[in-house]
């Protein structure tokens, strides 16, 4: 059986975002939200942006104005390694389908902050496995401040997020769901 990856390091919020660096994925919104926070808060958050894209230069320029450390990994086939060194996943997209990056983050036992767009809210139990936020940088800043003030939540939410992955996104879970559908169909005929 799979077990939830164990994290012990919660001295800082280590936020990760995985995706093409683009205005659609809105990494700029994350950096803007962090910029709104007081210095003391900015010191307690580290950001890793995994991916590459046409917004990279703008994002790198913005990152220089922050107190928080921001790491750009570029495109990477070591996403799992980066996920395992983070303790919070954030996807603040303006437009999305059903992002697999969130499923990967759940599998890595990360709490998720996601924008209230398309399929994202279906992947998060608000307040339990993470937070669903509007496309509002101020709201995101407030949620990040809350997380920084309650870092211990990251461990619990990460476990709950992993549990949600096991219940909904493993092969076993999907097979069970399909068999329930097929049984319902055959009974109905």
């Amino acid at each position: 059986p799979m077990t939830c990856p164990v994290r012990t390091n919660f001295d800082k919020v280590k936020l990760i975002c995985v995706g093409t660096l683009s205005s659609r994925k809105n990494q700029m919104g994350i950096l803007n939200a962090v910029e709104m926070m007081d210095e003391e808060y900015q010191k307690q958050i580290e950001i890793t942006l995994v991916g590459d894209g046409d917004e990279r230069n703008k994002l790198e320029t913005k990152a220089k104005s922050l107190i928080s450390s921001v790491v750009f990994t570029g495109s990477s086939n070591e996403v799992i390694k980066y996920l395992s060194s983070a303790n919070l996943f954030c996807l603040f997209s303006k437009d999305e389908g059903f992002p697999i990056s969130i499923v990967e983050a759940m599998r890595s036992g990360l709490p998720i902050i996601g924008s209230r767009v398309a399929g994202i809210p279906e992947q998060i139990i608000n307040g339990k496995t993470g937070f669903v936020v509007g496309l509002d940088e101020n709201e995101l800043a407030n949620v990040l401040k809350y997380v920084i003030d309650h870092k211990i939540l990251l461990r619990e939410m990460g476990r709950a997020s992993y549990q949600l992955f096991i219940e909904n996104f493993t092969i076993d879970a999907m097979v069970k769901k399909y068999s329930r559908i097929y049984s319902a169909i055959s009974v109905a005929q």
Side-chain angles (χ1 to χ4, degrees):
M2 298 166 72
T3 56
C4 183
V6 177
R7 284 181 176 72
T8 52
N9 186 348
F10 295 96
D11 58 324
K12 284 192 172 175
V13 171
K14 297 175 190 296
L15 181 151
I16 188 168
C17 177
V18 178
T20 307
L21 303 182
S22 65
S23 69
R24 187 173 80 85
K25 292 284 184 187
N26 197 22
Q27 290 91 345
M28 188 61 82
I30 298 172
L31 299 187
N32 288 339
V34 168
E35 188 178 40
M36 290 174 180
M37 303 189 306
D38 294 345
E39 216 171 285
E40 281 313 303
Y41 281 107
Q42 285 195 45
K43 283 179 183 163
Q44 294 184 67
I45 187 166
E46 294 173 355
I47 301 158
T48 303
L49 299 179
V50 181
D52 220 332
D54 56 13
E55 290 272 294
R56 181 160 178 169
N57 289 345
K58 274 189 211 162
L59 289 164
E60 285 178 337
T61 303
K62 169 60 96 182
K64 290 188 180 97
S65 69
L66 303 179
I67 293 156
S68 304
S69 101
V70 183
V71 173
F72 292 84
T73 69
S75 294
S76 174
N77 50 14
E78 296 191 314
V79 175
I80 302 299
K81 183 188 87 178
Y82 290 115
L83 288 171
S84 57
S85 58
N87 57 27
L88 177 66
F89 185 87
C90 183
L91 194 63
F92 196 51
S93 298
K94 296 174 182 173
D95 170 44
E96 231 5 297
F98 188 84
I100 295 303
S101 61
I102 288 184
V103 177
E104 288 289 326
M106 290 164 71
R107 187 173 82 182
S108 292
L110 289 173
I112 316 292
I113 295 178
S115 50
R116 196 174 287 107
V117 171
I120 296 177
E122 296 164 36
Q123 294 173 286
I124 302 166
I125 301 171
N126 196 32
K128 184 167 190 241
T129 67
F131 299 95
V132 179
V133 294
L135 267 178
D136 173 347
E137 293 168 359
N138 205 43
E139 187 183 347
L140 178 58
N142 287 333
V143 167
L144 289 173
K145 284 193 269 193
Y146 180 80
V147 169
I148 290 167
D149 285 337
H150 304 86
K151 291 190 199 88
I152 199 68
L153 278 177
L154 293 171
R155 179 180 280 130
E156 267 324 295
M157 287 187 152
R159 284 196 194 118
S161 184
Y162 179 76
Q163 203 47 51
L164 191 64
F165 166 77
I166 295 295
E167 288 163 18
N168 290 323
F169 299 107
T170 58
I171 299 292
D172 283 354
M174 291 187 188
V175 167
K176 281 183 189 132
K177 285 178 185 173
Y178 282 123
S179 24
R180 281 200 295 271
I181 292 167
Y182 289 129
S183 319
I185 292 169
S186 56
V187 168
Q189 284 175 346

